[in-house]
Amino acid sequence: MLGLIQTALTYIIPFLLVLTVVVTIHELGHYWAARACRVAIDQFSIGFGRRIFGWRDRQGVEWRVGWIPLGGYVRFSGDENAASVPDQNNLSAMRQKIEAEQGPGAADRFFHFKPVWQRAFITAAGPLANFVLAIIIFAFLLMSVGETVIPARVAAVQPGSPAAAAGFRVDDVVIEANGQKIDNFFDLQQIIAVRSNAPTQFLVDRGGQVVSLSATPERRVMPDRMGGEQKIGVLGISSPADAGQRTVRRYGPLEAVGAGAERTWRVLSTTVYYLGRIVTGRESADQLGGPLRIAQASGQVAQSGAQGAPDATTMLLGSAVALLGLTAVLSVGIGFMNLLPVPVLDGGHLLFYAYEAVARRPLAAKVQAAGYRVGLALLLGLMLFATWNDLQQLRVFKFLGGLIS
């Protein structure tokens, strides 16, 4: 019993908190955009399933909390038929029915009868809200906590490493990597980690002279913070962190917002680049993680934030700060994933709206319905694959095999 409680406090609760914040902000993006376009809204739900509690506001929107805390949704009036009335004939029949029941002009408040640009705006507002959330969180952390800065100076070069072959020397200061300005060893590590077996250009300051070097990080299997393994690129250089060369940099409000936007873009571009390497076969697909690994990461991040705290208050504060950072990164991932051109995701809807804008009519109902089924199958398949990777990474099968034997 104590073990179950400890597991819930360590992994499940942090995971649900992070997921609930990210999904709620995503749905609020859809909600506020719909309100701005005067779309009739029936319901806003945090969680799925039977309602635990809720209320109805003055606009008639039912706000509710479901008992399954694994997401949420906003339901526009008429959404219950959204998959079956996407073409012109069914929309005409739907308009006639609505106006017969609610009076002339009533259909104009329904999502399906808004101009295509408004529907696209409402759809894109969810992922956009995720990116805005990430910027706000990063900016808040940079103002309040600051960032640890370790000079991008080479403290040591491993013999026989890609860095040694490329000509890196001790005391070289890396000022640019793969076209990106570098002023922190952490940033350099992130670039190297996702560029295994990819030739990369570096600019280093060597005694006041700028020297250009080309190196190819090699892929190595390294332990991660979650107790599993990860395949990342390694150059073979050490940072001066062990010598105590680190400072804390804090930002002012405007500077923090700019830096938050830059970090959000960096996370997004790195995600796109890494997924591109997986699709093209240059990176192993077993690195894709799913909900189990996110839950484990949430627990580990919360623990690392609380580590070394002198009292319970400081421990909770440290965990909260660490989880905020994870929330920002996950929010970028959720925003990007929803923009993929897969039916049932926001990106798939935007694809259909783009066709409608060009052809001046909605895509045929049969085609959209088939697209939704294919998209759902792809999404479920990806989730199953990612969950399988989670089980492999967490060594669940080895554990079960040990129990059986």
Side-chain angles (χ1 to χ4, degrees), residues 42 51 60 62-63 149 172 197 241 261 273 313 337 342 387:
D42 286 342
R51 188 178 81 166
E62 180 194 3
W63 296 78
V149 178
D172 281 349
N197 300 328
Y273 173 77
T313 301
M337 186 188 71
V342 177
T387 302

Side-chain angles (χ1 to χ4, degrees), residues 28-41 74 76 111 114 121-122 125:
L28 281 173
H30 293 310
Y31 173 82
W32 286 114
R35 285 287 303 275
C37 295
R38 299 184 179 181
V39 172
I41 303 171
V74 54
F76 306 130
F111 176 81
K114 290 295 181 178
F121 167 63
I122 294 169

Side-chain angles (χ1 to χ4, degrees), residues 28-311:
L28 281 173
H30 293 310
Y31 173 82
W32 286 114
R35 285 287 303 275
C37 295
R38 299 184 179 181
V39 172
I41 303 171
D42 286 342
Q43 192 176 90
F44 188 101
S45 179
I46 301 175
F48 299 101
R50 183 175 299 176
R51 188 178 81 166
I52 300 177
F53 65 89
W55 66 94
R56 192 173 296 275
D57 64 19
R58 282 181 282 183
Q59 283 75 33
V61 180
E62 180 194 3
W63 296 78
R64 66 194 300 275
V65 175
W67 71 276
I68 304 177
L70 292 176
Y73 60 89
V74 54
R75 190 174 75 189
F76 306 130
S77 297
D79 262 3
E80 59 270 16
N81 296 317
S84 60
V85 291
D87 67 2
Q88 198 62 51
N89 292 333
N90 286 329
L91 285 173
S92 298
M94 184 180 182
R95 176 182 286 276
Q96 292 176 4
K97 180 181 178 181
I98 292 172
E99 295 190 348
E101 294 176 351
Q102 302 182 27
D108 293 336
R109 297 183 60 246
F110 281 62
F111 176 81
H112 302 293
F113 302 105
K114 290 295 181 178
V116 65
W117 72 266
Q118 290 190 10
R119 283 178 278 142
F121 167 63
I122 294 169
T123 300
L128 179 62
N130 284 128
F131 299 141
V132 172
L133 172 65
I135 293 172
I136 292 173
I137 291 177
F138 282 135
F140 170 76
L141 292 176
L142 290 170
M143 284 190 298
S144 59
V145 180
E147 67 171 340
T148 300
V149 178
I150 298 175
R153 184 177 65 81
V154 178
V157 179
Q158 296 178 7
S161 66
F168 277 87
R169 299 179 185 176
V170 173
D171 288 333
D172 281 349
V173 178
V174 181
I175 57 177
E176 187 174 299
N178 193 40
Q180 298 183 37
K181 299 296 183 182
I182 300 296
D183 66 352
N184 194 336
F185 202 90
F186 290 127
D187 298 336
L188 178 62
Q189 284 180 315
Q190 290 176 0
I191 293 173
I192 294 171
V194 298
R195 295 189 60 82
S196 60
N197 300 328
T200 306
Q201 297 298 318
F202 299 88
L203 292 180
V204 302
D205 183 340
R206 181 175 293 169
Q209 292 185 339
V210 177
V211 179
S212 177
L213 301 174
S214 179
T216 302
E218 65 179 2
R219 182 177 298 152
R220 294 183 188 175
V221 178
M222 306 289 288
D224 60 22
R225 293 189 304 172
M226 271 57 82
E229 296 177 340
Q230 58 180 345
K231 299 174 183 177
I232 62 173
V234 175
L235 197 59
I237 58 176
S238 300
S239 79
D242 293 338
Q245 296 187 25
R246 62 175 69 203
T247 58
V248 176
R249 179 194 298 162
R250 286 187 172 85
Y251 293 76
L254 292 179
E255 190 182 15
V257 172
E262 189 272 334
R263 276 158 178 73
T264 299
W265 172 254
R266 188 187 304 169
V267 172
L268 179 60
S269 59
T270 301
T271 301
V272 173
Y273 173 77
Y274 194 73
L275 288 178
R277 285 174 59 87
I278 292 177
V279 171
T280 57
R282 290 181 293 169
E283 203 67 57
S284 175
D286 61 10
Q287 297 301 296
L288 283 175
L292 295 180
R293 215 177 308 181
I294 295 174
Q296 189 185 32
S298 302
Q300 292 288 348
V301 166
Q303 289 182 43
S304 65
Q307 192 172 9
D311 52 61

